[in-house]
Amino acid sequence: MPSRLFFAVCLALLLAAPGRGWSQQSGPVAGPVRLTPIRPLVPAPDEKPEPARPGPAPQSVIGVPGGPGAGDGGAVTTGVTPGGPGVNVEVDTLTTINPDAAGALTEDQGGFPASMWRGTSRRLVDSLLVKLPVNTASMAMRGLMRRLLLSAAVVPQGAAEPGALVALRVRLLADMGDFVGVNQLLNAIPGRDLNPDLVFVEANSRFLANDNARACVLAAGQIRTQENAFWHKAFIFCQALAGETDKAALGVELLREMGEDDQAFYDLVDSLSGGGVVSIESLADPSPLHLAMARVAKAQLPPDVISSNRPSILNTIATSPNAPVELRMEAAERAEAAGALPVEALRQLYTSVSFSDEDLANPLSKAEAESGPLSRALLYRTALIQTVPTAQAEAVSRALSLAREGGRYASTVRVFTGVLKNIPPSPELLWFAPEAVRAFLFLADHESADVWFGLLSSSAMFDRQAGLDLKALMPLARLSDS
């Protein structure tokens, strides 16, 4: 329809335009030179004008209820109105776009089908989404949640405020520590700046990612319309960052008069305004704003900061230079286990720890005494610098044993993957074969597991312990489809 209308308009403009021509003389003339007399175009006496043929019967187009483009989840009707003999004028009603249908993944891109909510009520969707285990250690479950939250889909049936569902999806991605997914989904939402919930989630994500500049732009835009403590605090922090200490101090006084009780915030503002380095005694449930302010103020984070179980918070603590190294490693291991931190970041953190020559000379005994993140960091450093396969295997074996006892086996196996692959299977390392098989089966590296499994199989005929180890591994091998 738009192309036909455009063609008709262009044709009308061409026919209505005044004619211009050039005669054989130099200069324009008023119009085209007529070469023949005017001949009226009338039907011949014995001919009758052919009647206009009726076009197809007008039809109505019904939109998909609750689909993308339906602002309130209802049907959208397009009517066809006769505009004269042989002319039909189509009349449509502009509708608002429901942002809840937005997504960063289509089915072709690995997302779920657009009809995934068909037959499910909005009330049920809302009640179940908030129960998603955002801190799960299962990579498969995390991948499913990510696909679910990023998929574009027809909005489920039920009365709800437009934009509430997509705001919940963005918040869950942020809680998972999936900042890439947060940005992807935000960029796909139409009119996201008009949704206060989306702006709130985006600002917190910016603070967690140490992107204070963009977070302050959002705070400046919201402080004019949103009357809540968060935006006042964020704006005061941004004023302190900009060196507007007097304005920040005035904002603090207003917050105190409003009855806002947040001593950590007040101490950090005072530090940023020239009050010196502040000592935070407790921050058991830190907000993204607290962590951003503490990082800028170079205030050391207290031990109870890792009591939070949110992967996004743990991710930020792990990468905060103002946190003690043991605290960072504890947060990093938990964030990596939840999929919120790349394993390479944990490896780099392990290698950044400084150890004494005495610790490096006796890593096994030192790790036995520590039995925590520091012990795994020491054993990883030892495995990297060792050139003797037996010594490497001893360090890896001890690290995996300690991790299994502490509930960090999956994360530790991923960290030691490179070292594991560099240890060559040999009869001298028969004792290490069961540990290697378990690790490679966990990593789904069946080719590497088969080599060590073959070493056990060939030794089981004359080595009783090898036979027992082989029998103990068989159920795990079957379950792993190896």
Side-chain angles (χ1 to χ4, degrees), residues 33-52:
V33 178
R34 192 176 305 281
L35 301 180
T36 59
I38 297 177
R39 182 179 179 182
L41 299 177
V42 295
D46 56 346
E47 293 180 357
K48 294 182 180 180
E50 184 177 356

Side-chain angles (χ1 to χ4, degrees), residues 19 49 83 89 125 146-147 193 197 201 211 213 255 285 294 303 310 319 333 349-350 381 400 446 449 475:
V89 179
V125 171
R146 190 175 193 275
R147 289 174 59 197
D193 296 338
D197 293 335
V201 174
D211 189 357
L255 273 180
D285 188 21
R310 285 184 290 171
T319 56
E333 287 188 349
L349 188 56
Y350 277 173
R381 174 75 68 83
L400 294 180
H446 298 292

Side-chain angles (χ1 to χ4, degrees), residues 235-251 272-273:
F235 193 64
I236 292 170
F237 170 47
C238 295
Q239 287 176 324
L241 279 179
E244 299 175 345
T245 55
D246 293 340
K247 295 180 180 180
L250 178 60
L272 291 170
S273 300

